[in-house]
Amino acid sequence: MEDLAGAALGTLGLVAVAGYLLGSIPFGVIITRLGGAGDVRAIGSGNIGATNVLRTGRKDLALATLILDAGKGAVALLLARWLFGSEAAGAIAGASAFIGHLFPVWLGFKGGKGVATFFGLLIAALWPLGLMAGAIWILTAFLFRISSLSALTAAAAAPLLALLPLAVLGLPAPAPIILLAVFTALLIYVRHAANIARLLKGTEPRIGAKAA
């Protein structure tokens, strides 16, 4: 029994490390450099995510960053789920990829804020949950034109959506997915601390604006 438990822990550890390394790939930095837009960390907010890449004026680079940042979270979760046939393994890989994006070893642990990776994880974990959270982001962005507010609203809603409407629709979220939604939402709030302060002051830049 101890050997089996050790093997299980070793497998989960391997899943976590692999997920972290995949999530650590800084696509925003790579894409802006390859696209001739310089180092995105020297532009606008200094963030490596799609919203800041958009401030370079290159919508194509921002879209590519969005897709790849979302994709690495989705791939980590789906691959672990497929290999081990376990929602828990998928959630651990996804959470690790999310941590990797926020704190990438390649950039001195200074990464993005995780919004695109968050949505990639939700869609891969339980696509109705991802679509509903995405709809909330779009609606909030349409009404207020503030990316961070949209992300914070969607992040707060995701765990509640996993617990309530999906169960009513007959699509209850597995416990590991609910925990993943809670964990990633909390980290999004931590990484958006400066944005929250600016929101309270009314100085948060709007979507498409060039940050000072």
Side-chain angles (χ1 to χ4, degrees), residues 56-204:
T56 66
R58 293 285 301 275
K59 293 181 180 180
D60 57 335
L61 300 183
L63 178 60
T65 302
L66 176 68
I67 293 171
L68 290 171
D69 280 348
K72 64 187 181 184
V75 168
L77 187 150
L78 291 173
L79 187 59
R81 177 193 280 169
W82 176 69
L83 286 174
F84 301 103
S86 166
E87 289 289 354
I92 289 171
S96 299
F98 189 77
I99 293 171
H101 178 74
L102 268 55
F103 309 105
V105 64
W106 321 115
L107 301 180
F109 304 102
K110 297 178 181 178
K113 295 182 180 178
V115 179
T117 308
F118 171 74
F119 282 113
L121 286 172
L122 292 186
I123 290 172
L126 197 61
W127 65 265
L129 173 60
L131 291 182
M132 286 192 288
I136 290 174
W137 190 101
I138 292 170
L139 178 61
T140 308
F142 176 77
L143 292 174
F144 299 100
R145 303 291 298 172
I146 302 176
S147 178
S148 60
L149 179 62
S150 304
L152 291 167
T153 304
L160 298 176
L161 291 171
L163 286 168
L164 300 175
L166 286 180
V168 172
L169 293 172
L171 297 169
I177 304 307
I178 295 173
L179 292 175
L180 176 65
V182 172
F183 175 75
T184 51
L186 289 174
L187 282 181
I188 283 177
Y189 270 77
V190 170
R191 292 291 286 146
H192 281 76
N195 301 84
I196 293 170
R198 288 194 296 270
L199 284 168
L200 293 174
K201 293 178 181 178
T203 59
E204 182 73 342

